[in-house]
Amino acid sequence: MKKISLILILALTVVSFVSCSDDDGPSIAYQYAEVTGETLPDFFDLDEEYDITVTYELPDACNEFYTFNGGTHEDEDDESVLIYDIQVLTSYDPNVTECTEEGELTETKTLFEDFGIPSDFQYETIRFRFLTGANEDDEAEFLTVDVPVGEPEAEDPEETPAE
């Protein structure tokens, strides 16, 4: 009887272990959203603060905003340009095979609140590169916006000849 009990306990343990490893429970996967617009000033005044927003298109209604992703680096060809690379990362459950949720696919979120340029800033331009997707060669495509630091000098109006 003890042998049968031991075999039964071992069998139940193995079945329990195998059923847990095949768990199709919730999980999270990530996907980039297509950036479709932004709000940036025409130029950045030193020591001023700006709210910068990004508008993007969710891949489908099952996706939801997760975070902004990216970083900064100096332009390799022009050391007076600082580049912000920005992507919108969304999350979804890959176990959901049919998305029945209704929802708006276009959203706008604040990227930076109170974004400011200090008076000792060394760059003349900030280039924002927002990921919009990939082309047929699977190369990233960007919405690129250059914003000068400091108010651009006003151009002299053209003089009109005297009559």
Side-chain angles (χ1 to χ4, degrees):
M1 183 73 173
K2 288 182 181 182
K3 287 183 181 181
I4 293 174
S5 295
L6 183 60
I7 291 172
L8 186 58
I9 291 172
L10 279 172
L12 289 174
T13 303
V14 169
V15 168
S16 173
F17 178 73
V18 170
S19 68
C20 287
S21 66
D22 290 338
D23 186 13
D24 286 339
S27 63
I28 298 175
Y30 302 96
Q31 194 171 4
Y32 289 111
E34 175 186 346
V35 174
T36 58
E38 41 58 42
T39 57
L40 289 166
D42 293 332
F43 61 91
F44 289 115
D45 265 334
L46 298 176
D47 296 323
E48 291 292 320
E49 294 181 343
Y50 302 87
D51 290 343
I52 298 173
T53 61
V54 176
T55 302
Y56 55 90
E57 189 82 17
L58 292 169
D60 62 43
C62 289
N63 286 58
E64 59 184 38
F65 176 81
Y66 180 70
T67 191
F68 289 107
N69 192 21
T72 61
H73 58 94
E74 190 173 277
D75 188 314
E76 294 174 4
D77 299 325
D78 185 351
E79 62 186 33
S80 72
V81 177
L82 179 66
I83 299 174
Y84 275 83
D85 288 321
I86 299 162
Q87 304 93 31
V88 175
L89 194 60
T90 66
S91 63
Y92 65 98
D93 183 347
N95 295 317
V96 175
T97 57
E98 188 175 318
C99 184
T100 58
E101 295 178 27
E102 296 293 324
E104 182 66 36
L105 296 180
T106 301
E107 295 183 350
T108 300
K109 295 259 188 233
T110 299
L111 171 64
F112 296 115
E113 191 171 290
D114 301 328
F115 180 83
I117 307 294
S119 58
D120 61 348
F121 194 71
Q122 67 184 15
Y123 299 98
E124 295 174 10
T125 302
I126 299 178
R127 177 171 295 145
F128 291 88
R129 294 182 350 138
F130 301 96
L131 182 68
T132 60
N135 63 20
E136 59 275 352
D137 296 327
D138 209 25
E139 296 170 341
E141 293 184 328
F142 297 93
L143 166 65
T144 303
V145 180
D146 286 349
V147 181
V149 176
E151 187 171 356
E153 293 181 21
E155 296 179 19
D156 291 332
E158 293 182 28
E159 294 182 23
T160 56
E163 292 182 37

